């Protein structure tokens, strides 16, 4: 700090080049502070605007617990009688003991719809959800509308 004061006084007393140097130094210091603030703000916001927070699903005690991918903090619990769960984008799909796949919105935990009837597992990939039945058939559905696409 003492060195900065000495440099400031020297630049102030040596016109005209000292004043230009003083101005450039002031601009550099203020820009550096702004860059530090932007970097700290970016570290606090794990994802860009418009992108949902990446979540991890953990099945425990018949429910699906959701955790943030960035820091591992607990978010919420969805579903009941859950045997398998997966997350993808803004949705969470849980397979129940009865063989149904329940879709929830990850951000709010609100229920969206139920798909399948003999499901063993589910996997969300982009706009689609693949549901594997007990007989091995894989059915593809659009996750937003719930409409059937095809079987594999």
């Amino acid at each position: 700090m003492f060195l900065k004061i000495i440099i400031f006084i020297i630049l102030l007393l040596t016109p005209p080049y000292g004043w230009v140097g003083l101005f450039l130094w002031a601009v550099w210091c203020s820009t550096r502070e702004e860059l530090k603030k932007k970097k700290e703000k970016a570290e606090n916001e794990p994802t860009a605007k418009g992108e949902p927070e990446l979540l991890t699903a953990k099945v425990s005690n018949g429910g699906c617990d959701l955790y943030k991918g960035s820091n591992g903090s607990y978010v919420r619990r969805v579903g009941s009688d859950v045997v398998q769960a997966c997350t993808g984008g803004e949705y969470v799909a849980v397979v129940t003991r009865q063989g149904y796949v329940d879709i929830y919105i990850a951000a709010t935990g609100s229920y969206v719809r139920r798909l399948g009837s003999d499901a063993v597992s589910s996997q969300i990939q982009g706009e689609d959800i693949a549901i594997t039945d007990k007989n091995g058939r894989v059915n593809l559905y659009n996750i937003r509308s719930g409409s059937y696409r095809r079987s594999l």
Side-chain angles (χ1 to χ4, degrees):
M1 182 66 180
F2 186 68
L3 182 62
K4 288 182 181 179
I5 293 172
I6 292 174
I7 292 172
F8 176 78
I9 292 171
I10 291 172
L11 290 175
L12 188 64
L13 296 177
T14 55
Y17 298 112
W19 293 346
V20 172
L22 184 63
F23 174 74
L24 293 176
W25 185 41
V27 169
W28 178 73
C29 288
S30 66
T31 305
R32 194 174 81 187
E33 291 297 321
E34 288 177 14
L35 290 175
K36 282 183 183 179
K37 288 179 184 177
K38 284 183 182 179
K39 184 177 179 183
E40 289 174 1
K41 186 177 180 183
E43 289 174 356
N44 292 338
E45 293 181 11
T47 58
K49 289 185 178 180
E51 290 183 26
E53 172 76 31
L54 295 176
L55 297 176
T56 301
K58 178 182 175 185
V59 176
S60 63
N61 297 327
C64 173
D65 296 326
L66 298 177
Y67 297 91
K68 286 186 179 180
S70 59
N71 58 14
S73 63
Y74 177 79
V75 178
R76 72 183 37 83
R77 185 176 183 90
V78 295
S80 61
D81 291 335
V82 177
V83 293
Q84 190 259 344
C86 68
T87 61
E90 59 190 66
Y91 294 99
V92 178
V94 297
V95 179
T96 64
R97 286 191 192 139
Q98 294 80 20
Y100 297 109
V101 176
D102 293 333
I103 309 295
Y104 295 91
I105 295 176
T108 61
S110 59
Y111 176 80
V112 178
R113 74 183 41 86
R114 176 173 276 185
L115 299 171
S117 60
D118 287 332
V120 176
S121 68
S122 65
Q123 183 65 42
I124 299 173
Q125 182 64 42
E127 292 288 317
D128 295 330
I129 180 168
I131 299 174
T132 305
D133 291 340
K134 289 180 184 176
N135 62 6
R137 180 181 293 204
V138 177
N139 296 316
L140 292 176
Y141 295 89
N142 182 303
I143 198 163
R144 292 191 185 276
S145 65
S147 62
Y148 174 79
R149 296 245 177 149
R150 65 179 169 273
S151 293
L152 302 174

